Amino acid sequence: VSPPGLKITAVAAIQKDVRGLVVRGSRGSPSKISHYIQRLMGKETGKLSPGAWVPRFLALPSQFSSVDLSYITQGETALQRALSILQQHTSWQAETLLDAGAAVSSAALPGLGKVFRAEVVLAVPVAQLHRELFERIEQMPQWNPTLSRVKVLQRVGTDTLVTHEVTAPSPGNLVGQRDFVSVRHCGRRETAIYLVGTATHVEPLPLQEGCIRAESRLSCIVLQPLAGDPGCTRLTWLLSMDLKGWIPASVINRVLPQSQADFIKHLRRHLSAATCP
């Protein structure tokens, strides 16, 4: 059995190689990706030994296409990156917000720029939040007025989605209307659920009129049962975005943490309404 540290190193190396083949998600050559994955799993030569350790994102049914595998790989890579931040980075600076619905802090991290971290405890179990934030994602604009549309473009198994989100137009909005094309992936570690997202590319999807195509560098919502009260959930949300366009950093650094607090405020209101008889 491989030691945990060796497994993590192996996953990182494999994911780096696959990312090199899958340029921008769906532009890579399917035959090259499939050939590479088969070689990794020993299917070419039959050398895979019984009980050999296979990374989760490679231990997949054969009906998945190489494009499907590329989306899963992007999601798993984003998850590993989020886990690394959560485990290793401990120095966060508190943000001052108007009408804060959550505690928000920030840190400047290599490769991501400024990352915002929101934390809140919600009086609902983890499973309910998972349904609202992942399984029912297309219904999100019904309770979150900052979104005009969320569309699932593709489902890959039960834990990976490709989505297109469009923000709602708002008078006086300093940023303007944006749309996002993202891979969303669900991971589980012990009692926690991780909902990660990162920008991807879908060839047939044109730019939206009146919108600027922004990118999610990394989004990770961690849902963990509150110690001593499994009916409540501690929600931790890491967020790093490239909003594109000519927006001063001072504006972005004010808008993003406030958008996290606003999202949590809308979510809390929705959950409260859903539990009322």
Side-chain angles (χ1 to χ4, degrees):
V1 177
S2 302
L6 181 59
K7 290 183 180 181
I8 293 171
T9 303
V11 168
I14 293 167
Q15 289 173 338
K16 181 178 178 182
D17 285 350
V18 172
R19 287 199 304 274
L21 292 172
V22 183
V23 180
R24 298 289 295 168
S26 61
R27 288 180 177 175
S29 164
S31 61
K32 287 184 179 179
I33 299 166
S34 178
H35 177 84
Y36 177 75
I37 289 172
Q38 287 179 354
R39 179 163 54 84
L40 282 170
M41 296 185 70
K43 290 184 176 180
E44 277 191 323
T45 59
K47 291 180 180 178
L48 187 64
S49 59
W53 172 74
V54 178
R56 177 177 175 271
F57 79 101
L58 291 179
L60 298 165
S62 58
Q63 69 263 26
F64 286 133
S65 71
S66 55
V67 174
D68 292 340
L69 291 172
S70 77
Y71 289 137
I72 295 170
T73 301
Q74 289 173 70
E76 285 284 327
T77 301
L79 176 57
Q80 293 298 324
R81 192 174 200 181
L83 286 170
S84 177
I85 294 171
L86 290 164
Q87 292 167 2
Q88 299 177 16
H89 196 82
T90 57
S91 180
W92 298 86
Q93 181 176 349
E95 295 285 331
T96 302
L97 305 174
L98 298 173
D99 189 24
V104 182
S105 54
S106 65
L109 301 180
L112 287 172
K114 201 157 190 180
V115 177
F116 297 93
R117 173 177 174 149
E119 293 186 278
V120 69
V121 173
L122 298 170
V124 293
V126 166
Q128 184 176 347
L129 283 169
H130 173 250
R131 284 194 299 271
E132 294 292 346
L133 301 178
F134 192 80
E135 295 177 359
R136 301 174 181 169
I137 192 170
E138 288 188 320
Q139 300 175 28
M140 198 175 284
Q142 296 176 11
W143 53 265
N144 181 5
T146 66
L147 289 171
S148 66
R149 184 171 71 254
V150 177
K151 175 69 174 174
V152 174
L153 303 176
Q154 187 172 345
R155 295 182 184 271
V156 184
T158 58
D159 291 336
T160 305
L161 309 172
V162 180
T163 63
H164 179 225
E165 309 105 53
V166 182
T167 64
S170 176
N173 189 331
L174 294 174
V175 173
Q177 203 170 6
R178 295 293 193 272
D179 76 328
F180 301 83
V181 181
S182 306
V183 168
R184 294 177 177 271
H185 186 68
C186 177
R188 295 167 179 81
R189 298 292 187 277
E190 298 179 352
T191 60
I193 291 180
Y194 296 79
L195 306 177
V196 295
T198 189
T200 193
H201 179 81
V202 178
E203 282 287 357
L205 189 67
L207 296 175
Q208 305 296 295
E209 185 177 355
C211 286
I212 293 176
R213 177 74 40 92
E215 293 184 354
S216 171
R217 294 192 187 102
L218 177 67
S219 174
C220 178
I221 294 178
V222 186
L223 306 174
Q224 195 155 24
L226 191 64
D229 189 354
C232 293
T233 301
R234 180 176 300 280
L235 183 153
T236 304
W237 181 11
L238 300 179
L239 181 66
S240 175
M241 283 187 164
D242 183 355
L243 293 176
K244 304 296 184 180
W246 298 96
I247 308 173
S250 59
V251 172
I252 294 174
N253 292 340
R254 187 165 73 251
V255 166
L256 287 182
Q258 189 64 54
S259 70
Q260 286 181 292
D262 290 345
F263 176 89
I264 290 170
K265 178 178 66 177
H266 297 312
L267 175 61
R268 194 194 296 271
R269 185 178 300 157
H270 170 64
L271 295 170
S272 178
T275 56
C276 289

